[in-house]
Amino acid sequence: ILYDLNVIDEKIFSICLSKKNGYLGLSQILGIYTYVETQQEINFINLLPSNDNLFEIKIDYFKINNIKIEKEFISYLDTSTSHTFFPKNLYDQIITYLLLINNNLKKNLNNEFCQIIPKEEKNIFYNNFPDIIVNFKNFIYVWKPKNYFYENNTNVNNQINVCLTFRELNNNNIDNNKIILGTDFMQDYEIVFDKNKQKIAFINTECDKLFSDLTKGIKSSNIYENSEAISDNYEITSDLNYINNNHLSSNIIETNENKNDEDYEILISDSKSN
């Protein structure tokens, strides 16, 4: 909608999620923290053609320590689901390996593998588990234990119920190679979705720090000045377009004067209330 209203110049957005917070970037508002602090190279991954307008990407293999699961999978990123869903064959292999590391993980009534641990031992618990490596052709994604587990409840004895986030994809076809990557998979990466070029990129980012920096009273003018400095210092591509709420609202209202569509009236109403 924003692209069609000429508020943003490109069909690009980014998200950056952590356990507690999230950040959404429109157009080329992306990688502020990453560019300045870590100067990471961005490796874009080509999207697969999709009739359903999904963000589908190919996975070459999974690796857990020295165990390599060599099978090509088709995955798509779904920000509307909290959990990642694996086909049965892949799910069983990963679960089997993790249970060899810790057989105290037990399946509950929701078919989740969980364990109750003292809250102060949380970091020790995570450190006992390996990273899950996902190879996306030209990018190696590292899924940390702190992100493929989630903390369910804290009880009176200061204990927490820690559960695996990923689930088995309910499908009768045991050889199904489709994977749904939910928001549990997206944490601590800024993910850039480029609809123009049909590409996405994962940028390892401290999303909590990024969110905190952006909410400490940083003015939109300062962000724009910083973006110019970033472009000068790191030769980042052309003009970064930063849009504050006033600019967004005025553009929508201005465009709406030439349109009578009811949807635009609703959008204007929402932007004014916000």
Side-chain angles (χ1 to χ4, degrees), residues 66-248:
N66 59 340
I67 305 297
K68 191 174 183 180
I69 304 172
E70 292 191 87
K71 181 180 177 180
E72 187 176 287
F73 296 94
I74 304 300
S75 65
Y76 70 89
L77 287 101
D78 186 358
T79 56
S80 66
T81 181
S82 302
H83 300 282
T84 288
F85 291 87
F86 292 132
K88 179 175 174 55
N89 57 339
L90 176 61
Y91 176 83
D92 287 345
Q93 290 182 75
I94 294 175
I95 288 293
T96 299
Y97 186 79
L98 295 181
L99 289 177
L100 288 175
I101 296 172
N102 184 348
N103 60 9
N104 290 318
L105 290 169
K106 304 296 181 184
K107 188 179 287 189
N108 62 17
L109 295 177
N110 295 322
N111 287 324
E112 298 175 320
F113 281 91
C114 304
Q115 183 178 341
I116 296 175
I117 62 172
K119 190 174 183 179
E120 64 271 13
E121 294 181 10
K122 178 176 64 175
N123 290 334
I124 298 173
F125 175 85
Y126 291 147
N127 288 337
N128 287 329
F129 285 90
D131 297 336
I132 296 177
I133 306 300
V134 185
N135 187 284
F136 290 109
K137 200 71 176 179
N138 63 332
F139 180 76
I140 295 176
Y141 180 98
V142 180
W143 200 10
K144 296 288 185 182
K146 68 173 184 174
N147 291 329
Y148 66 72
F149 279 99
Y150 78 97
E151 297 159 25
N152 201 351
N153 289 305
T154 302
N155 62 26
V156 292
N157 296 321
N158 205 32
Q159 294 180 312
I160 54 176
N161 190 30
V162 183
C163 303
L164 288 169
T165 64
F166 56 86
R167 312 285 177 84
E168 180 183 338
L169 184 63
N170 293 323
N171 195 304
N172 293 328
N173 182 5
I174 194 170
D175 295 322
N176 192 298
N177 70 336
K178 287 279 188 178
I179 295 173
I180 300 173
L181 301 175
T183 54
D184 56 340
F185 187 82
M186 304 179 194
Q187 294 174 33
D188 293 331
Y189 280 84
E190 183 160 22
I191 306 176
V192 182
F193 299 81
D194 188 336
K195 288 288 289 181
N196 285 1
K197 298 179 181 177
Q198 289 295 295
K199 296 181 177 183
I200 67 167
F202 294 92
I203 311 168
N204 192 268
T205 306
E206 292 184 43
C207 296
D208 260 336
K209 176 172 172 43
L210 173 60
F211 182 86
S212 176
D213 289 347
L214 290 172
T215 54
K216 284 181 178 177
I218 300 176
K219 305 298 183 181
S220 59
S221 60
N222 290 336
I223 294 177
Y224 183 78
E225 289 170 5
N226 289 339
S227 75
E228 291 187 317
I230 292 170
S231 294
D232 292 338
N233 293 332
Y234 300 106
E235 298 181 357
I236 296 174
T237 58
S238 65
D239 301 326
L240 301 179
N241 299 312
Y242 291 92
I243 304 167
N244 60 30
N245 288 333
N246 291 332
H247 181 70
L248 172 62

Side-chain angles (χ1 to χ4, degrees), residues 17-29:
L17 304 175
S18 71
K19 291 286 188 184
K20 297 179 181 179
N21 299 308
Y23 168 75
L24 170 69
L26 296 174
S27 192
Q28 292 190 42
I29 310 176

